[in-house]
Amino acid sequence: MYAIIRAGGRQHKVAVGDVIQADRVQSAAGETVELPVLLLVDGESVTSDPWVLAGVKVTAEVVDHTKGKKIDILKYKNKTGYRKRMGHRQQHTQLKVTGIETGK
């Protein structure tokens, strides 16, 4: 059994025991969070009906907060002396999926 969930604006395919790296979640390490389900695959059946998925819960435990890889941003305009250099590191949260409850 696996589910497609939404975490931090992105979609992830998860099963019980998986560790995913999602965008920053505002929870402390060790807390459990509930993630919205978009699709559920249980053996032969595939469920995407929002009314049925309202009863499905995917719970995950916050493992750690980390930073992503550094992205260098360079801006340059010719013949004007304009140069700008910036960087960005995205905040990530590692989530360990602890359960998928179908409500049956």
PDB file of all heavy atoms in Angstrom, residues 27-52:
ATOM      1  N   SER A  27       6.934  22.295  12.774  1.00  0.00           N
ATOM      2  CA  SER A  27       6.764  21.398  13.915  1.00  0.00           C
ATOM      3  C   SER A  27       8.141  21.055  14.439  1.00  0.00           C
ATOM      4  O   SER A  27       9.113  20.993  13.680  1.00  0.00           O
ATOM      5  CB  SER A  27       6.045  20.118  13.506  1.00  0.00           C
ATOM      6  OG  SER A  27       4.738  20.404  13.070  1.00  0.00           O
ATOM      7  N   ALA A  28       8.221  20.818  15.735  1.00  0.00           N
ATOM      8  CA  ALA A  28       9.503  20.468  16.347  1.00  0.00           C
ATOM      9  C   ALA A  28       9.847  19.010  16.048  1.00  0.00           C
ATOM     10  O   ALA A  28       8.970  18.200  15.725  1.00  0.00           O
ATOM     11  CB  ALA A  28       9.439  20.692  17.853  1.00  0.00           C
ATOM     12  N   ALA A  29      11.125  18.685  16.166  1.00  0.00           N
ATOM     13  CA  ALA A  29      11.578  17.312  15.934  1.00  0.00           C
ATOM     14  C   ALA A  29      10.933  16.394  16.967  1.00  0.00           C
ATOM     15  O   ALA A  29      10.858  16.714  18.148  1.00  0.00           O
ATOM     16  CB  ALA A  29      13.096  17.236  16.016  1.00  0.00           C
ATOM     17  N   GLY A  30      10.447  15.247  16.513  1.00  0.00           N
ATOM     18  CA  GLY A  30       9.795  14.293  17.392  1.00  0.00           C
ATOM     19  C   GLY A  30       8.280  14.379  17.377  1.00  0.00           C
ATOM     20  O   GLY A  30       7.606  13.454  17.815  1.00  0.00           O
ATOM     21  N   GLU A  31       7.720  15.474  16.885  1.00  0.00           N
ATOM     22  CA  GLU A  31       6.272  15.622  16.814  1.00  0.00           C
ATOM     23  C   GLU A  31       5.715  14.842  15.630  1.00  0.00           C
ATOM     24  O   GLU A  31       6.427  14.540  14.680  1.00  0.00           O
ATOM     25  CB  GLU A  31       5.876  17.088  16.684  1.00  0.00           C
ATOM     26  CG  GLU A  31       6.130  17.917  17.907  1.00  0.00           C
ATOM     27  CD  GLU A  31       5.616  19.337  17.754  1.00  0.00           C
ATOM     28  OE1 GLU A  31       4.866  19.606  16.789  1.00  0.00           O
ATOM     29  OE2 GLU A  31       5.983  20.171  18.591  1.00  0.00           O
ATOM     30  N   THR A  32       4.422  14.526  15.696  1.00  0.00           N
ATOM     31  CA  THR A  32       3.771  13.860  14.575  1.00  0.00           C
ATOM     32  C   THR A  32       2.900  14.869  13.839  1.00  0.00           C
ATOM     33  O   THR A  32       2.291  15.749  14.452  1.00  0.00           O
ATOM     34  CB  THR A  32       2.895  12.679  15.049  1.00  0.00           C
ATOM     35  OG1 THR A  32       1.929  13.174  15.972  1.00  0.00           O
ATOM     36  CG2 THR A  32       3.733  11.607  15.692  1.00  0.00           C
ATOM     37  N   VAL A  33       2.865  14.733  12.520  1.00  0.00           N
ATOM     38  CA  VAL A  33       2.046  15.606  11.679  1.00  0.00           C
ATOM     39  C   VAL A  33       1.160  14.735  10.801  1.00  0.00           C
ATOM     40  O   VAL A  33       1.487  13.586  10.494  1.00  0.00           O
ATOM     41  CB  VAL A  33       2.914  16.539  10.797  1.00  0.00           C
ATOM     42  CG1 VAL A  33       3.663  17.534  11.631  1.00  0.00           C
ATOM     43  CG2 VAL A  33       3.864  15.751   9.932  1.00  0.00           C
ATOM     44  N   GLU A  34       0.018  15.295  10.407  1.00  0.00           N
ATOM     45  CA  GLU A  34      -0.897  14.599   9.514  1.00  0.00           C
ATOM     46  C   GLU A  34      -0.826  15.269   8.143  1.00  0.00           C
ATOM     47  O   GLU A  34      -0.907  16.491   8.038  1.00  0.00           O
ATOM     48  CB  GLU A  34      -2.313  14.670  10.069  1.00  0.00           C
ATOM     49  CG  GLU A  34      -3.283  13.796   9.341  1.00  0.00           C
ATOM     50  CD  GLU A  34      -4.639  13.775  10.023  1.00  0.00           C
ATOM     51  OE1 GLU A  34      -4.675  13.611  11.249  1.00  0.00           O
ATOM     52  OE2 GLU A  34      -5.637  13.936   9.302  1.00  0.00           O
ATOM     53  N   LEU A  35      -0.658  14.465   7.098  1.00  0.00           N
ATOM     54  CA  LEU A  35      -0.465  14.990   5.751  1.00  0.00           C
ATOM     55  C   LEU A  35      -1.690  14.694   4.888  1.00  0.00           C
ATOM     56  O   LEU A  35      -2.277  13.615   4.981  1.00  0.00           O
ATOM     57  CB  LEU A  35       0.780  14.355   5.130  1.00  0.00           C
ATOM     58  CG  LEU A  35       2.068  14.565   5.929  1.00  0.00           C
ATOM     59  CD1 LEU A  35       3.163  13.658   5.416  1.00  0.00           C
ATOM     60  CD2 LEU A  35       2.503  16.004   5.856  1.00  0.00           C
ATOM     61  N   PRO A  36      -2.096  15.633   4.016  1.00  0.00           N
ATOM     62  CA  PRO A  36      -3.259  15.403   3.148  1.00  0.00           C
ATOM     63  C   PRO A  36      -2.944  14.396   2.043  1.00  0.00           C
ATOM     64  O   PRO A  36      -1.867  14.404   1.465  1.00  0.00           O
ATOM     65  CB  PRO A  36      -3.546  16.788   2.563  1.00  0.00           C
ATOM     66  CG  PRO A  36      -2.292  17.550   2.723  1.00  0.00           C
ATOM     67  CD  PRO A  36      -1.570  16.975   3.897  1.00  0.00           C
ATOM     68  N   VAL A  37      -3.917  13.531   1.773  1.00  0.00           N
ATOM     69  CA  VAL A  37      -3.754  12.455   0.795  1.00  0.00           C
ATOM     70  C   VAL A  37      -4.433  12.852  -0.510  1.00  0.00           C
ATOM     71  O   VAL A  37      -5.562  13.336  -0.515  1.00  0.00           O
ATOM     72  CB  VAL A  37      -4.373  11.147   1.329  1.00  0.00           C
ATOM     73  CG1 VAL A  37      -4.178  10.027   0.335  1.00  0.00           C
ATOM     74  CG2 VAL A  37      -3.766  10.781   2.663  1.00  0.00           C
ATOM     75  N   LEU A  38      -3.733  12.638  -1.637  1.00  0.00           N
ATOM     76  CA  LEU A  38      -4.291  12.926  -2.952  1.00  0.00           C
ATOM     77  C   LEU A  38      -4.704  11.664  -3.701  1.00  0.00           C
ATOM     78  O   LEU A  38      -5.620  11.695  -4.524  1.00  0.00           O
ATOM     79  CB  LEU A  38      -3.269  13.688  -3.797  1.00  0.00           C
ATOM     80  CG  LEU A  38      -2.759  14.995  -3.211  1.00  0.00           C
ATOM     81  CD1 LEU A  38      -1.662  15.559  -4.085  1.00  0.00           C
ATOM     82  CD2 LEU A  38      -3.883  15.977  -3.074  1.00  0.00           C
ATOM     83  N   LEU A  39      -4.012  10.549  -3.419  1.00  0.00           N
ATOM     84  CA  LEU A  39      -4.278   9.289  -4.108  1.00  0.00           C
ATOM     85  C   LEU A  39      -3.862   8.155  -3.191  1.00  0.00           C
ATOM     86  O   LEU A  39      -2.844   8.269  -2.492  1.00  0.00           O
ATOM     87  CB  LEU A  39      -3.471   9.225  -5.413  1.00  0.00           C
ATOM     88  CG  LEU A  39      -3.652   7.999  -6.284  1.00  0.00           C
ATOM     89  CD1 LEU A  39      -4.899   8.168  -7.139  1.00  0.00           C
ATOM     90  CD2 LEU A  39      -2.461   7.805  -7.181  1.00  0.00           C
ATOM     91  N   LEU A  40      -4.626   7.058  -3.203  1.00  0.00           N
ATOM     92  CA  LEU A  40      -4.305   5.903  -2.377  1.00  0.00           C
ATOM     93  C   LEU A  40      -4.342   4.656  -3.236  1.00  0.00           C
ATOM     94  O   LEU A  40      -5.319   4.425  -3.949  1.00  0.00           O
ATOM     95  CB  LEU A  40      -5.304   5.774  -1.224  1.00  0.00           C
ATOM     96  CG  LEU A  40      -5.098   4.596  -0.277  1.00  0.00           C
ATOM     97  CD1 LEU A  40      -3.817   4.790   0.525  1.00  0.00           C
ATOM     98  CD2 LEU A  40      -6.276   4.446   0.642  1.00  0.00           C
ATOM     99  N   VAL A  41      -3.267   3.866  -3.207  1.00  0.00           N
ATOM    100  CA  VAL A  41      -3.192   2.614  -3.946  1.00  0.00           C
ATOM    101  C   VAL A  41      -3.066   1.499  -2.920  1.00  0.00           C
ATOM    102  O   VAL A  41      -2.093   1.434  -2.174  1.00  0.00           O
ATOM    103  CB  VAL A  41      -1.997   2.590  -4.923  1.00  0.00           C
ATOM    104  CG1 VAL A  41      -1.919   1.261  -5.632  1.00  0.00           C
ATOM    105  CG2 VAL A  41      -2.116   3.724  -5.919  1.00  0.00           C
ATOM    106  N   ASP A  42      -4.100   0.635  -2.885  1.00  0.00           N
ATOM    107  CA  ASP A  42      -4.148  -0.455  -1.917  1.00  0.00           C
ATOM    108  C   ASP A  42      -4.298  -1.769  -2.675  1.00  0.00           C
ATOM    109  O   ASP A  42      -5.408  -2.192  -2.971  1.00  0.00           O
ATOM    110  CB  ASP A  42      -5.307  -0.234  -0.955  1.00  0.00           C
ATOM    111  CG  ASP A  42      -5.344  -1.270   0.154  1.00  0.00           C
ATOM    112  OD1 ASP A  42      -4.337  -1.972   0.343  1.00  0.00           O
ATOM    113  OD2 ASP A  42      -6.377  -1.368   0.834  1.00  0.00           O
ATOM    114  N   GLY A  43      -3.183  -2.389  -3.007  1.00  0.00           N
ATOM    115  CA  GLY A  43      -3.241  -3.642  -3.763  1.00  0.00           C
ATOM    116  C   GLY A  43      -3.731  -3.400  -5.175  1.00  0.00           C
ATOM    117  O   GLY A  43      -3.061  -2.788  -5.991  1.00  0.00           O
ATOM    118  N   GLU A  44      -4.939  -3.856  -5.473  1.00  0.00           N
ATOM    119  CA  GLU A  44      -5.509  -3.724  -6.814  1.00  0.00           C
ATOM    120  C   GLU A  44      -6.310  -2.430  -6.991  1.00  0.00           C
ATOM    121  O   GLU A  44      -6.496  -1.959  -8.101  1.00  0.00           O
ATOM    122  CB  GLU A  44      -6.429  -4.922  -7.099  1.00  0.00           C
ATOM    123  CG  GLU A  44      -5.703  -6.239  -7.170  1.00  0.00           C
ATOM    124  CD  GLU A  44      -4.897  -6.378  -8.441  1.00  0.00           C
ATOM    125  OE1 GLU A  44      -5.346  -5.912  -9.509  1.00  0.00           O
ATOM    126  OE2 GLU A  44      -3.808  -6.955  -8.359  1.00  0.00           O
ATOM    127  N   SER A  45      -6.804  -1.855  -5.894  1.00  0.00           N
ATOM    128  CA  SER A  45      -7.683  -0.699  -6.024  1.00  0.00           C
ATOM    129  C   SER A  45      -6.910   0.614  -5.936  1.00  0.00           C
ATOM    130  O   SER A  45      -5.966   0.749  -5.168  1.00  0.00           O
ATOM    131  CB  SER A  45      -8.767  -0.727  -4.938  1.00  0.00           C
ATOM    132  OG  SER A  45      -8.171  -0.609  -3.667  1.00  0.00           O
ATOM    133  N   VAL A  46      -7.343   1.581  -6.753  1.00  0.00           N
ATOM    134  CA  VAL A  46      -6.770   2.923  -6.755  1.00  0.00           C
ATOM    135  C   VAL A  46      -7.898   3.887  -6.395  1.00  0.00           C
ATOM    136  O   VAL A  46      -8.936   3.894  -7.039  1.00  0.00           O
ATOM    137  CB  VAL A  46      -6.184   3.283  -8.136  1.00  0.00           C
ATOM    138  CG1 VAL A  46      -5.662   4.703  -8.143  1.00  0.00           C
ATOM    139  CG2 VAL A  46      -5.087   2.304  -8.513  1.00  0.00           C
ATOM    140  N   THR A  47      -7.678   4.690  -5.357  1.00  0.00           N
ATOM    141  CA  THR A  47      -8.715   5.604  -4.879  1.00  0.00           C
ATOM    142  C   THR A  47      -8.249   7.035  -5.051  1.00  0.00           C
ATOM    143  O   THR A  47      -7.187   7.408  -4.551  1.00  0.00           O
ATOM    144  CB  THR A  47      -9.015   5.347  -3.390  1.00  0.00           C
ATOM    145  OG1 THR A  47      -9.328   3.973  -3.216  1.00  0.00           O
ATOM    146  CG2 THR A  47     -10.152   6.201  -2.915  1.00  0.00           C
ATOM    147  N   SER A  48      -9.043   7.843  -5.756  1.00  0.00           N
ATOM    148  CA  SER A  48      -8.731   9.258  -5.911  1.00  0.00           C
ATOM    149  C   SER A  48      -9.941  10.138  -5.597  1.00  0.00           C
ATOM    150  O   SER A  48      -9.874  11.345  -5.762  1.00  0.00           O
ATOM    151  CB  SER A  48      -8.233   9.542  -7.326  1.00  0.00           C
ATOM    152  OG  SER A  48      -9.259   9.261  -8.253  1.00  0.00           O
ATOM    153  N   ASP A  49     -11.034   9.533  -5.148  1.00  0.00           N
ATOM    154  CA  ASP A  49     -12.248  10.262  -4.823  1.00  0.00           C
ATOM    155  C   ASP A  49     -12.039  11.091  -3.553  1.00  0.00           C
ATOM    156  O   ASP A  49     -11.686  10.551  -2.508  1.00  0.00           O
ATOM    157  CB  ASP A  49     -13.393   9.279  -4.621  1.00  0.00           C
ATOM    158  CG  ASP A  49     -14.720   9.966  -4.381  1.00  0.00           C
ATOM    159  OD1 ASP A  49     -14.841  11.148  -4.748  1.00  0.00           O
ATOM    160  OD2 ASP A  49     -15.636   9.314  -3.833  1.00  0.00           O
ATOM    161  N   PRO A  50     -12.245  12.410  -3.613  1.00  0.00           N
ATOM    162  CA  PRO A  50     -12.004  13.241  -2.426  1.00  0.00           C
ATOM    163  C   PRO A  50     -12.886  12.892  -1.240  1.00  0.00           C
ATOM    164  O   PRO A  50     -12.483  13.066  -0.097  1.00  0.00           O
ATOM    165  CB  PRO A  50     -12.281  14.666  -2.902  1.00  0.00           C
ATOM    166  CG  PRO A  50     -12.557  14.600  -4.338  1.00  0.00           C
ATOM    167  CD  PRO A  50     -12.624  13.196  -4.773  1.00  0.00           C
ATOM    168  N   TRP A  51     -14.108  12.383  -1.494  1.00  0.00           N
ATOM    169  CA  TRP A  51     -14.999  12.017  -0.392  1.00  0.00           C
ATOM    170  C   TRP A  51     -14.471  10.799   0.352  1.00  0.00           C
ATOM    171  O   TRP A  51     -14.572  10.728   1.581  1.00  0.00           O
ATOM    172  CB  TRP A  51     -16.410  11.735  -0.913  1.00  0.00           C
ATOM    173  CG  TRP A  51     -17.018  12.946  -1.530  1.00  0.00           C
ATOM    174  CD1 TRP A  51     -17.169  13.188  -2.868  1.00  0.00           C
ATOM    175  CD2 TRP A  51     -17.528  14.092  -0.861  1.00  0.00           C
ATOM    176  NE1 TRP A  51     -17.740  14.422  -3.072  1.00  0.00           N
ATOM    177  CE2 TRP A  51     -17.983  14.995  -1.845  1.00  0.00           C
ATOM    178  CE3 TRP A  51     -17.645  14.458   0.477  1.00  0.00           C
ATOM    179  CZ2 TRP A  51     -18.543  16.225  -1.540  1.00  0.00           C
ATOM    180  CZ3 TRP A  51     -18.212  15.688   0.775  1.00  0.00           C
ATOM    181  CH2 TRP A  51     -18.651  16.554  -0.214  1.00  0.00           C
ATOM    182  N   VAL A  52     -13.903   9.862  -0.365  1.00  0.00           N
ATOM    183  CA  VAL A  52     -13.337   8.666   0.274  1.00  0.00           C
ATOM    184  C   VAL A  52     -12.012   9.018   0.950  1.00  0.00           C
ATOM    185  O   VAL A  52     -11.720   8.561   2.050  1.00  0.00           O
ATOM    186  CB  VAL A  52     -13.134   7.539  -0.761  1.00  0.00           C
ATOM    187  CG1 VAL A  52     -12.462   6.339  -0.138  1.00  0.00           C
ATOM    188  CG2 VAL A  52     -14.471   7.156  -1.379  1.00  0.00           C
TER     189      VAL A  52
END
